[in-house]
Amino acid sequence: MVAATVLLALGAGGTAYAATDTEAPTAPGPVTIAGITTTTIELTWVAATDNVGVTRYDVSHFSTDVVFMRNTTTNSITITGLRPSSTHRFAVRARDAAGNFSPSTPMLVVTMPPGDNQPPTAPGAPVPYTVADTLVILTWPRSTDNVYVALYEVLMVSAPGSPVVATAPQHPPTGTTARVTGLTPGTTYSFAVRARDDAGNISALSAPVTVTTTG
């Protein structure tokens, strides 16, 4: 779409000129890091020049044995969804309206900063603190984490798909207790608990507990 816009702006004579343009853009400047987190990197480079005009930059992204081809109309790009501690290689070349490519920049090799990929330990087995006709209050021993436990989730493991039926957020800490409501009187349920940290890592499930509501 960018190249088409340039050709229309040149008019009929410009289109013919672009079709016979065989002069490639100069190579962009070396790729440098403008910003980086554990999962995102922003790259930039000195703009290429061309006798007519650079329409886009093609970014080659090598990750392990996979190559991603990306493009941008500016001399920068932000790439997200990378893994902490993973290694990537990047190179950029310019393209003009006639499809001529510049030489590529030297390859930039980047290892992402290490991130938190360690899940919390499994919580201790939940214990019924209160049991009523339609309500169960559960409590359990805490998980530990290398950074911080953000949330506990109570799962009804006796139901198909083991849905999450209660949570105990830990920002700020609210303790290791949760209320499960909307239950049926005189019915047996099984529950287990798991922990989730700030990076989204999820612990293994605790041992389950079986509870029969009153009524």
Side-chain angles (χ1 to χ4, degrees), residues 55-150:
T55 59
R56 78 178 193 197
Y57 295 92
D58 291 335
V59 181
S60 300
H61 171 196
F62 300 84
S63 178
T64 314
D65 57 350
V66 179
V67 180
F68 301 94
M69 298 303 299
R70 311 174 189 275
N71 63 76
T72 175
T73 57
T74 67
N75 63 321
S76 66
I77 191 170
T78 299
I79 300 172
T80 62
L82 306 179
R83 290 183 295 105
S85 301
S86 59
T87 298
H88 305 266
R89 294 177 293 150
F90 302 96
V92 178
R93 65 180 182 179
R95 179 174 180 171
D96 66 16
N100 300 305
F101 289 101
S102 75
S104 290
T105 62
M107 193 77 69
L108 174 68
V109 181
V110 180
T111 297
M112 303 298 290
D116 177 16
N117 56 9
Q118 180 177 326
T121 61
V127 175
Y129 179 77
T130 299
V131 179
D133 289 358
T134 61
L135 165 73
V136 170
I137 299 177
L138 300 172
T139 186
W140 56 88
R142 292 182 180 275
S143 298
T144 59
D145 187 63
N146 62 319
V147 180
Y148 197 85
V149 173

